[in-house]
Amino acid sequence: HKTVLEKFGKLKEAVYAERAKAEKALERAGEAEALAGKGSFDPEKTRVLHLSNNPVTEALKAEIEVLQRQVKALSGGANKNKGVAPDFDPNKLHQRLKESFKEQIAMFREGVYLLTGYRVEMIPDNDRFKFKVRSVFAERESDILMFQWPEGKEVTSLDLLDTEHARLLSRTPSYEYISKFHSLPAFLASVQLSLFEKQTLV
């Protein structure tokens, strides 16, 4: 039982590490929400609502509860059934945690796609993540926009990177929402509406 408890201790540390990563991601998501109103968002008059039951956090909490029950069962079994190995596999539990986290992230991405019409892919690049964005109404597979998380602690917007599609859009009225109002959400909404009208009016 001592070996199993040692494995459990390591697994528990891994779980809390994953939870810390999730909380950091949620913190960044909160910062991104603040960006959504750039140009029209007044933090003194407007409140950003957060889900009380965040799916990612709830999934992690459920896994931690499983770990706690395993500890109790393991502790009780050590005294009552010293000759019986407990039904506990730390590797399977860790794998289940990873699968649950992936499922929640996939569901979140699909929700963003269904709500906004944009497929968003986050690409790790040290601490400055990149975001690959493609509209459901895009005419070509290569019609993508690339954004990057800016340097510094106080983030007010994302950096629009140079792509062929970005250069094309810079010559359209939609680009004024960036150059004049500095609002990425308004820019993306305008682009989406223009693509939609172009398809439906043809």
Side-chain angles (χ1 to χ4, degrees), residues 126-138:
N126 296 322
D127 290 333
R128 298 183 64 198
F129 287 93
K130 291 182 179 179
F131 299 87
K132 180 180 177 182
V133 179
R134 183 177 182 275
S135 171
V136 65
F137 305 117

Side-chain angles (χ1 to χ4, degrees), residues 40-153:
S40 61
F41 177 76
D42 186 350
E44 297 296 328
K45 300 179 180 179
T46 308
R47 296 179 62 188
V48 178
L49 299 180
H50 299 271
L51 291 175
S52 59
N53 295 319
N54 184 281
V56 176
T57 303
E58 291 302 316
L60 290 172
K61 286 181 178 178
E63 293 297 336
I64 291 173
E65 289 177 1
V66 170
L67 287 174
Q68 291 174 339
R69 288 197 296 269
Q70 292 287 356
V71 168
K72 292 180 180 178
L74 198 60
S75 299
N79 296 326
K80 297 178 181 178
N81 303 302
K82 293 185 178 181
V84 180
D87 184 17
F88 176 74
D89 188 335
N91 293 326
K92 288 184 179 180
L93 190 59
H94 187 232
Q95 184 62 29
R96 188 164 68 248
L97 173 63
K98 290 173 62 178
E99 291 174 356
S100 176
F101 189 77
K102 286 181 180 179
E103 289 175 2
Q104 296 295 336
I105 291 298
M107 185 179 297
F108 177 78
R109 290 180 60 189
E110 190 64 20
V112 170
Y113 179 67
L114 294 174
L115 289 170
T116 67
Y118 281 108
R119 181 74 69 184
V120 181
E121 179 182 352
M122 187 170 69
I123 304 172
D125 187 9
N126 296 322
D127 290 333
R128 298 183 64 198
F129 287 93
K130 291 182 179 179
F131 299 87
K132 180 180 177 182
V133 179
R134 183 177 182 275
S135 171
V136 65
F137 305 117
E139 298 176 334
R140 301 173 298 173
E141 191 70 25
S142 59
D143 288 347
I144 63 169
L145 293 171
M146 293 291 296
F147 299 92
Q148 187 168 35
W149 198 271
E151 295 179 344
K153 294 183 179 180

Side-chain angles (χ1 to χ4, degrees), residues 132-177:
K132 180 180 177 182
V133 179
R134 183 177 182 275
S135 171
V136 65
F137 305 117
E139 298 176 334
R140 301 173 298 173
E141 191 70 25
S142 59
D143 288 347
I144 63 169
L145 293 171
M146 293 291 296
F147 299 92
Q148 187 168 35
W149 198 271
E151 295 179 344
K153 294 183 179 180
E154 295 185 4
V155 178
T156 58
S157 185
L158 299 180
D159 295 334
L160 176 62
L161 303 182
D162 182 42
T163 64
E164 181 182 351
H165 193 47
R167 290 193 295 272
L168 177 64
L169 292 175
S170 67
R171 298 191 293 271
T172 67
S174 296
Y175 193 74
E176 289 187 7
Y177 287 105

